[in-house]
Amino acid sequence: MPSSAPAGASTEEEDAVVAAGAIATSSAAPDAGDPEPQRNKGRRRRKKRRPRAPTEEEVAARRLVLRWACPGREVVAADDGQAAGAGRARVRRPRVAVELHAHSARSDGTLSPAELVERAHRNGVKVLALTDHDTMAGVPEAVEAAKRHPIRIIPGVEISAVHSPSDESGSGAEEPVHILAYYGSWGPARPQELEMFLAGIREGRYARANEMLLKLGGLGMPMKLEDVCKIAGNGVAPGRLHVARAMVHAGFVEDLRQAFSRYLYDGGPAYATGSEPTGESVVQLVCRTGGVTVLAHPWALKNPGAVIKNLKAAGLHGIEVYRSDGKVSGTVSSTGLSDLADTYELLKLGGSDFHGRDDKEEPDVGSVDLPVLSVFKFLEIAKPIWHNAIKEIFASISKRTTDLNGSNGFRRISSAGDFCVLRLSCEDPELTGASEVEVLRTEVADIVLTHQ
Ligand SMILES: [Zn+2]
Ligand SMILES: [Zn+2]
């Protein structure tokens, strides 16, 4: 999570609690075509600006994004401020509520995946990426909940990693980085490989929590790992936020903010690092498994330029630039981040990083006003990657089908067409349209042929 933690910026999810109240002023969001991404009520009166008319490019992009977000639903025109028959000069910038960064109770959020989907839907979100820390365990529940609402789920995950400065930069210490991964609706191409990787990180979190507790014990605040795990919830790998909650619960600190500002901040007296992989290895893994990689909250990094350069070399696709208040804290302004994104030809994305804390200052799910052109560019990059992942999934399954054919119950799947029909009819694959299904059928036919 974004932060301006007391002892230097931090990227951990947990210091959201520190960050929420400590937003440094900075320039507004960067995109030239995005005049008012901020919803910072109160402090400064928003300048009244005449909304400019959307460009043709924006209108077209919005249409395409909506078609993807709500396949088969002709809500597009009704929902469109620029609908041709509107008659009035009702000029609105094209928007589609897309939330690309949100957590559920499957990591350190408070809402269940289903509750998160409900809330996102209530807030007008049309596309929601569930990005729990180091786990995709909440995705099936979110997808199930989304069937009751016109909302598309992007299976995602926010992966914990570290950046070690390379010898050329030489400056600064290791720092944590979080990398968001976005998969297509069929999930990662090699789910086992990804899951093993994530499981390794989750195990490291238990060791890390233990180390933090040892340090806190040495500081006169004895607590048990089982208490922290109880707070984290069933099967949820504990993080700093859970340790902080345990500290509040035990009465060692007044609130979460104090737990972080006194003990748990990066490099603090009770801070411990986990056994996280390098950022580069995470980016490579996500690319290998058919996902899109985006660096989370780079404004919280001490050395964003070096991190972004290294990760780009590993295959990074984008960075977060937008946040709900249109401002950034930390070492670099949003304009600076936008420039970095331009330099390295990276997508400019963002999300609320919603955790469902009991904190009025926390941005709500869906509160980031992501320009529709950013979403469009994201899809341009993502779709071929996701389609390739689907091809790989098909290839893997059809290979197994071929292997099994003749031995037992797979006889009924005798051709790629049958396989597709079976798969497409039972899985509600959320593909964008009939033509894509057709293309897929052809591709799968190719795959199956080459495997026979
Ligand atoms: Zn994070
Ligand atoms: Zn996050």
Side-chain angles (χ1 to χ4, degrees):
M1 198 13 251
S3 166
S4 56
S10 152
T11 57
E12 278 282 352
E13 70 284 13
E14 306 89 338
D15 38 19
V17 281
V18 188
I23 297 161
T25 53
S26 175
S27 56
D31 243 20
D34 190 46
E36 44 136 38
Q38 51 200 33
R39 293 187 183 176
N40 190 17
K41 296 171 198 149
R43 292 190 202 160
R44 218 188 321 153
R45 200 184 301 155
R46 199 191 286 171
K47 258 198 264 171
K48 273 201 175 166
R49 267 187 240 197
R50 268 181 93 94
R52 66 167 174 78
T55 63
E56 276 181 31
E57 193 188 10
E58 284 173 329
V59 172
R62 180 174 188 270
R63 209 157 277 151
L64 284 165
V65 170
L66 269 171
R67 202 175 295 152
W68 167 73
C70 317
R73 296 179 65 249
E74 288 313 315
V75 294
V76 179
D79 190 41
D80 198 329
Q82 300 79 47
R88 294 169 290 154
R90 186 181 169 205
V91 178
R92 267 196 345 209
R93 290 186 55 246
R95 293 168 201 281
V96 181
V98 175
E99 173 59 82
L100 290 178
H101 191 160
H103 297 271
S104 79
R106 295 305 178 103
S107 62
D108 58 347
T110 54
L111 301 182
S112 70
E115 289 166 339
L116 180 69
V117 170
E118 301 272 336
R119 187 176 180 119
H121 174 62
R122 270 205 312 277
N123 289 353
V125 171
K126 293 191 170 61
V127 179
L128 169 69
L130 179 63
T131 55
D132 275 317
H133 295 281
D134 308 314
T135 180
M136 292 181 76
V139 170
E141 185 183 324
V143 169
E144 198 52 40
K147 287 179 183 164
R148 298 191 289 274
H149 308 288
I151 187 167
R152 175 184 274 274
I153 302 296
I154 296 180
V157 56
E158 182 173 9
I159 305 178
S160 314
V162 287
H163 173 255
S164 312
S166 59
D167 35 6
E168 50 169 302
S169 72
S171 60
E174 271 194 357
E175 61 177 330
V177 292
H178 285 183
I179 292 162
L180 294 157
Y182 301 114
Y183 291 98
S185 49
W186 291 45
R190 303 176 195 189
Q192 297 87 350
E193 184 180 346
L194 178 67
E195 179 47 33
M196 272 177 61
F197 194 90
L198 297 178
I201 300 174
R202 292 197 299 270
E203 274 161 30
R205 289 169 83 91
Y206 285 94
R208 177 191 182 216
N210 216 11
E211 205 181 317
M212 285 191 275
L213 291 185
L214 280 173
K215 289 186 175 177
L216 286 168
L219 293 163
M221 290 171 272
M223 284 178 295
K224 288 187 185 143
L225 182 62
E226 61 199 68
D227 295 334
V228 176
C229 289
K230 207 177 283 172
I231 285 171
N234 199 11
V236 175
R240 257 196 298 190
L241 183 57
H242 302 122
V243 174
R245 283 187 191 145
M247 291 172 75
V248 177
H249 199 248
F252 293 133
V253 287
E254 282 170 23
D255 52 26
L256 297 177
R257 210 165 288 234
Q258 206 174 73
F260 276 90
S261 64
R262 292 191 180 169
Y263 304 105
L264 296 173
Y265 60 88
D266 282 8
Y271 177 73
T273 52
S275 52
E276 276 100 20
T278 65
E280 287 96 322
S281 67
V282 169
V283 168
Q284 286 159 355
L285 172 89
V286 175
C287 290
R288 208 161 55 236
T289 51
V292 178
T293 54
V294 173
L295 176 64
H297 37 70
W299 47 82
L301 294 171
K302 292 170 193 141
N303 201 355
V307 173
I308 291 168
K309 185 179 173 206
N310 283 0
L311 295 184
K312 169 68 185 184
L316 186 75
H317 299 103
I319 61 173
E320 282 195 321
V321 171
Y322 297 93
R323 49 186 283 185
S324 56
D325 48 20
K327 295 183 175 184
V328 294
S329 60
T331 52
V332 64
S333 72
S334 55
T335 312
L337 286 174
S338 184
D339 290 346
L340 278 170
D342 288 338
T343 304
Y344 293 104
E345 297 182 329
L346 291 161
L347 295 167
K348 298 172 199 178
L349 298 168
S352 67
D353 206 355
F354 179 77
H355 282 76
R357 292 184 301 270
D358 191 16
D359 181 346
K360 284 195 200 97
E361 298 199 54
E362 184 190 26
D364 206 343
V365 61
S367 58
V368 167
D369 194 8
L370 209 53
V372 73
L373 283 179
S374 295
V375 182
F376 179 73
K377 286 175 191 160
F378 167 67
L379 283 180
E380 271 190 328
I381 299 281
K383 280 193 166 186
I385 293 172
W386 293 343
H387 283 186
N388 279 334
I390 293 176
K391 275 160 58 174
E392 201 176 322
I393 291 166
F394 271 125
S396 148
I397 296 176
S398 70
K399 181 177 182 311
R400 278 180 278 148
T401 308
T402 310
D403 293 347
L404 288 166
N405 254 344
S407 61
N408 54 35
F410 278 79
R411 277 176 204 284
R412 53 190 287 216
I413 306 169
S414 56
S415 72
D418 287 353
F419 176 73
C420 267
V421 168
L422 191 73
R423 180 88 186 171
L424 297 178
S425 58
C426 67
E427 285 278 318
D428 182 23
E430 306 169 45
L431 292 171
T432 32
S435 61
E436 280 189 62
V437 174
E438 228 21 78
V439 169
L440 205 56
R441 280 200 178 122
T442 315
E443 286 173 350
V444 171
D446 291 340
I447 292 165
V448 172
L449 283 175
T450 55
H451 276 92
Q452 279 175 346

